[in-house]
Structures are given as structure tokens and as C-alpha cells.
């Protein structure tokens, strides 16, 4: 009896390859569509965050203006104190207390950087114009430098000036003036000598120099913040 041979039908390789190609094409197109949709959503979010970033820069500008106006007053008082000490002018204790009280009048600036950090952490800054993105990075680096300068100024105050003032002024009177603008008791100073006068002279001079550097930095950053707001309003997103 002859053996029966079951033959499988010949595979249609052309149809198989076509089906495989169509499946690959569908998956690829689906991936590209999802990627495009994600990119569009990220781009829209970047545009939305750009508006918030402009608001942050506006808040920075307002903070700069406020700190600058306060530092102008502080500069005037320090200059007057410096003049009094340099010329050995006769000045009442009340007046000297009031002038010295401005030595620890340190208007502080803190940048509004929450939106910028959100943009950089999510990688959305890539959607910004390269020039604007670079300027934003430089701006916030400069803000960090300003914060460092403020910290140094504050440290001079805490480490050198305040101990000096507590040594030569009646502490309770000095503190009450700073907090309440009144004196608790007599405003008489403790014993002073020429060395103490020149020490205060040098401390005031150092604070004056640091204040001038900070004022220059404040003005530069205020101008940059204004320019960046204009640039953000005019820039196009990728």
C-alpha cells in the first residue's frame, strides 16, 4: 500500500511580508503620532510656563525696584555717618544712634525662580529661542551671584559690626531703636577711643563699598529682567 504524503500548502511569502510591513507601518505611525501629540502638548505647556516666567520676572523687577529704593536711603545714611566719622564732626548721641542703626538695614532680594526651575527640570527650555534660553540661564546665574553677595554683606554685619556696636553702644538702647524707633533709657555711649572710632570708620567704609557693588548688580539685573520680559513676549516657540 503506497504511503500517503500530506503536503502543506505553499506559504505566500509576498503576502506575509506585506502583512508584516503593514503591521510595522501601523506601529511606527502610531508611535510618531503619539510622539507628535506629546511634543505639541509639551510645546503648549512651555508657552504657558513662559507667561508665568514673564510674571516671575515682573515680580523680580518690582523686588529690585523696592530693594534699590531702600538701599538708596541706606546709602545716604551710611555716607552721612562716614562723613561724620571722617571729619570728626560734633554730633549728638541720638543722631549717631540713628545713623548707625542704618548699618544693619539690609534690604534683601530673593529671585522668583520656581517657573524657571520647572522649565529646566522638565527640559521644556529647549522649546525656547536659543538666545532667550541662554539669556535666562545667565540671568539666574547672576541672581545666584547677587544672593552670594548679600550673604557676604550679612556675614560682615553679624561677625564684625553687630559685636562692635554691642561693645560701644548700650545694647538695650540700640536694639530698642532698631525695633521700636525709641530709646528705653539714656542714649549715652560707652567709652570710646580713637582706635574704636577708626574701627567703626573702616567697617562703615567696607559696608559702603559692598553696598555700591550690590547697587550696581541690582540695576544690571533689573534691566536684564525687563529685557527678558520683552523678549519672551516677542519670541516664537519651536
Amino acid at each position: 500500500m503506497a504511503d500517503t504524503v500530506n503536503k502543506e500548502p505553499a506559504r505566500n511569502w509576498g503576502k506575509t511580508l506585506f502583512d508584516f510591513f503593514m503591521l510595522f507601518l501601523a506601529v511606527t505611525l502610531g508611535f510618531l503620532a503619539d510622539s507628535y501629540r506629546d511634543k505639541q502638548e509639551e510645546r503648549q505647556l512651555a508657552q504657558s510656563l513662559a507667561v508665568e516666567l514673564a510674571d516671575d520676572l515682573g515680580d523680580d523687577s518690582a523686588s529690585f525696584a523696592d530693594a534699590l529704593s531702600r538701599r538708596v536711603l541706606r546709602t545716604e545714611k551710611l555716607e552721612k555717618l562716614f562723613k561724620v566719622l571722617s571729619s570728626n564732626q560734633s554730633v549728638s548721641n541720638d543722631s549717631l544712634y540713628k545713623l548707625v542703626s542704618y548699618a544693619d538695614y539690609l534690604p534683601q532680594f530673593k529671585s522668583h525662580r520656581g517657573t524657571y526651575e520647572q522649565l529646566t527640570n522638565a527640559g521644556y527650555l529647549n522649546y525656547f529661542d536659543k538666545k532667550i534660553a541662554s539669556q535666562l540661564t545667565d540671568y539666574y546665574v547672576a541672581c545666584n551671584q547677587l544672593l552670594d553677595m548679600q550673604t557676604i554683606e550679612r556675614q560682615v554685619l553679624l561677625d564684625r559690626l553687630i559685636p562692635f556696636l554691642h561693645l560701644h553702644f548700650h545694647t538695650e538702647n540700640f536694639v530698642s531703636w532698631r525695633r521700636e524707633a525709641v530709646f528705653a533709657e539714656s542714649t549715652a555711649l560707652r567709652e570710646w577711643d580713637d582706635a574704636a572710632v577708626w574701627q567703626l570708620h573702616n567697617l562703615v567704609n567696607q559696608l559702603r563699598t559692598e553696598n555700591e557693588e550690590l547697587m550696581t548688580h541690582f540695576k544690571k539685573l533689573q534691566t536684564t529682567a525687563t529685557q527678558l520680559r520683552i523678549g519672551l513676549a516677542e519670541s516664537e516657540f519651536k
Side-chain angles (χ1 to χ4, degrees):
M1 186 175 183
D3 293 334
T4 304
V5 179
N6 294 323
K7 294 184 178 180
E8 294 182 1
R11 183 181 295 272
N12 188 337
W13 289 104
K15 183 177 183 306
T16 301
L17 290 173
F18 177 78
D19 291 342
F20 175 79
F21 173 77
M22 293 301 294
L23 178 62
F24 173 79
L25 184 62
V27 171
T28 301
L29 290 176
F31 174 79
L32 292 175
D34 288 341
S35 178
Y36 176 78
R37 184 169 57 252
D38 291 342
K39 290 290 184 182
Q40 288 297 102
E41 291 176 353
E42 289 178 359
R43 183 174 179 273
Q44 291 174 359
L45 181 55
Q47 288 177 309
S48 176
L49 289 173
V51 175
E52 296 181 20
L53 180 59
D55 291 339
D56 285 352
L57 291 169
D59 291 337
D60 277 5
S61 294
S63 296
F64 286 133
D66 180 65
L68 280 168
S69 65
R70 292 173 183 270
R71 281 187 173 272
V72 167
L73 174 62
R74 178 172 184 257
T75 299
E76 292 173 354
K77 300 298 183 180
L78 285 178
E79 288 294 338
K80 188 172 182 180
L81 177 59
F82 188 78
K83 184 177 181 180
V84 167
L85 294 172
S86 299
S87 61
N88 293 320
Q89 293 180 4
S90 176
V91 60
S92 69
N93 288 344
D94 274 13
S95 297
L96 188 57
Y97 261 100
K98 293 175 182 178
L99 288 174
V100 171
S101 71
Y102 279 93
D104 72 337
Y105 182 64
L106 301 178
Q108 300 289 295
F109 165 77
K110 185 176 181 180
S111 63
H112 301 77
R113 57 190 308 129
T115 305
Y116 174 76
E117 291 178 350
Q118 187 177 351
L119 282 164
T120 54
N121 291 336
Y124 293 164
L125 206 59
N126 294 328
Y127 291 97
F128 285 62
D129 176 82
K130 288 185 178 180
K131 183 179 179 180
I132 292 292
S134 177
Q135 290 174 338
L136 283 168
T137 300
D138 292 343
Y139 170 78
Y140 283 104
V141 168
C143 283
N144 287 338
Q145 293 172 345
L146 177 59
L147 297 178
D148 291 340
M149 293 170 69
Q150 290 182 159
T151 300
I152 293 172
E153 182 188 41
R154 187 70 182 171
Q155 208 59 47
V156 170
L157 175 77
L158 295 176
D159 291 348
R160 297 183 60 195
L161 185 60
I162 293 300
F164 176 86
L165 297 177
H166 285 177
L167 178 64
H168 293 285
F169 287 73
H170 284 292
T171 303
E172 65 276 11
N173 293 332
F174 183 73
V175 172
S176 67
W177 168 256
R178 292 300 298 132
R179 293 181 178 174
E180 303 170 14
V182 296
F183 296 129
E185 301 174 7
S186 167
T187 60
L189 303 179
R190 299 188 192 279
E191 292 297 322
W192 282 59
D193 54 26
D194 289 343
V197 171
W198 278 104
Q199 186 179 358
L200 180 56
H201 181 285
N202 292 335
L203 284 170
V204 170
N205 194 27
Q206 182 177 355
L207 284 170
R208 181 180 70 166
T209 300
E210 291 173 353
N211 188 57
E212 289 172 352
E213 292 175 353
L214 278 162
M215 291 280 279
T216 300
H217 212 68
F218 268 113
K219 292 175 182 177
K220 180 179 178 181
L221 284 174
Q222 185 179 32
T223 300
T224 303
T226 301
Q227 292 173 343
L228 281 170
R229 290 186 71 194
I230 296 172
L232 285 170
E234 297 175 349
S235 64
E236 297 181 357
F237 288 79
K238 300 176 184 178

